């Protein structure tokens, strides 16, 4: 059976036009969710900002929740990649140095732009059951990652062997709260100060007996 060729518009295929609309909606979502907040950002406002129709919005995302979760995926996937790259080739470095490398990569990726910080640490909470499951899925991945890093420290003799999962959950909560309060101006100091405090907290948590 012959495949029907895609129609093109102004030299662009339907798939290219869809991808462009999707990116414009992603940019609008980041701007509005990250400045005015999720609750204040209606689909109509998102579409107006992106310059697309509501029909196009539903074709690309289906709901505001889906757009919010895709934006969160984007920043956390970037953060995970940044952490992995920061730790690459540093397998034999001391625990504190590895913690500093990983924490700096994660925090700078998620918090240097205040819109990403608000979206990641504030707007994602309490939206719906679906968004909460999405958030907890990502938390479980980070718990697994932190547990693996803690066990690397055990193998090197830098920490005692124990169950690190509860501590990992507590650390994630601490990171979220501290970065959120810093992003709102409630905590004095620079982002470097926040990172230094989290490095101390993480190192103490892993090495506690």
């Amino acid at each position: 059976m012959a495949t029907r060729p895609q129609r093109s518009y102004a030299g662009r295929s339907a798939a290219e036009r869809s991808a462009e609309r999707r990116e414009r909606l992603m940019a609008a979502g980041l701007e509005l969710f990250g400045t005015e907040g999720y609750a204040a950002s209606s689909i109509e406002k998102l579409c107006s900002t992106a310059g697309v129709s509501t029909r196009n919005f539903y074709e690309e995302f289906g709901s505001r929740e889906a757009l919010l979760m895709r934006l969160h995926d984007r920043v956390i996937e970037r953060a995970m990649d940044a952490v992995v790259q920061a730790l690459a080739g540093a397998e034999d470095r001391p625990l504190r140095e590895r913690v500093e490398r990983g924490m700096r990569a994660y925090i700078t990726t998620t918090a240097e732009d205040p819109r990403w910080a608000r979206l990641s640490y504030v707007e994602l909470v309490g939206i719906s059951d679906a968004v909460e499951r999405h958030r907890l899925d990502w938390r479980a991945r980070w718990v697994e990652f932190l547990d693996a890093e803690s066990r690397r420290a055990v193998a090197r003799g830098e920490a005692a062997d124990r169950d690190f999962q509860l501590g990992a959950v507590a650390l994630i909560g601490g990171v979220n709260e501290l970065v959120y309060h810093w992003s709102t101006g409630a905590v004095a100091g620079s982002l470097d100060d926040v990172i230094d405090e989290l490095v101390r907290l993480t190192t103490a948590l892993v090495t506690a007996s």
Side-chain angles (χ1 to χ4, degrees):
M1 182 181 294
T3 301
R4 178 181 296 177
Q6 288 189 333
R7 296 179 62 187
S8 62
Y9 303 83
R12 292 175 298 165
S13 69
E16 290 171 334
R17 288 165 59 85
S18 175
E20 180 187 7
R21 287 194 299 267
R22 193 174 184 84
E23 285 304 313
R24 284 159 60 185
L25 284 165
M26 292 279 282
L30 173 61
E31 179 61 28
L32 293 177
F33 296 160
T35 56
E36 300 181 18
Y38 179 85
S41 304
S42 66
I43 288 176
E44 290 74 17
K45 186 179 289 187
L46 288 163
C47 291
S48 176
T49 302
V52 304
S53 68
T54 55
R55 178 177 63 82
N56 288 151
F57 178 91
Y58 285 110
E59 288 173 348
E60 302 300 339
F61 289 101
S63 68
R64 284 191 307 154
E65 292 177 0
L67 174 58
L68 177 66
M69 288 186 285
R70 184 64 197 97
L71 281 165
H72 182 249
D73 278 339
R74 174 169 287 184
V75 68
I76 299 303
E77 286 164 1
R78 288 176 177 174
M80 181 67 86
D81 288 344
V83 171
V84 170
Q85 290 177 22
L87 296 179
E91 291 82 3
D92 295 329
R93 304 307 302 165
L95 171 64
R96 187 179 179 89
E97 181 179 332
R98 285 182 62 80
V99 169
E100 197 279 335
R101 287 186 182 208
M103 190 64 72
R104 182 169 298 279
Y106 179 82
I107 298 299
T108 53
T109 302
T110 59
E112 274 193 327
D113 185 330
R115 299 172 303 172
W116 281 125
R118 179 169 178 174
L119 188 146
S120 300
Y121 298 107
V122 182
E123 296 301 325
L124 202 72
V125 179
I127 298 299
S128 68
D129 289 344
V131 176
E132 185 65 7
R133 286 193 299 271
H134 170 88
R135 185 179 72 85
L136 293 178
D137 284 346
W138 268 113
R139 188 180 74 179
R141 295 186 219 179
W142 282 112
V143 168
E144 182 179 354
F145 180 86
L146 292 168
D147 182 69
E149 281 298 308
S150 298
R151 300 211 168 276
R152 183 190 298 274
V154 171
R156 290 169 53 87
E158 296 174 307
D161 190 10
R162 62 184 178 85
D163 186 346
F164 292 100
Q165 295 206 0
L166 288 177
V169 173
L171 175 62
I172 291 168
V175 171
N176 290 347
E177 285 297 313
L178 184 53
V179 177
Y180 162 61
H181 283 289
W182 172 82
S183 71
T184 63
V187 174
S190 67
L191 194 57
D192 282 336
D193 294 328
V194 171
I195 293 169
D196 288 344
E197 187 63 31
L198 289 171
V199 169
R200 284 191 289 271
L201 177 63
T202 305
T203 305
L205 189 151
V206 173
T207 58
S209 58

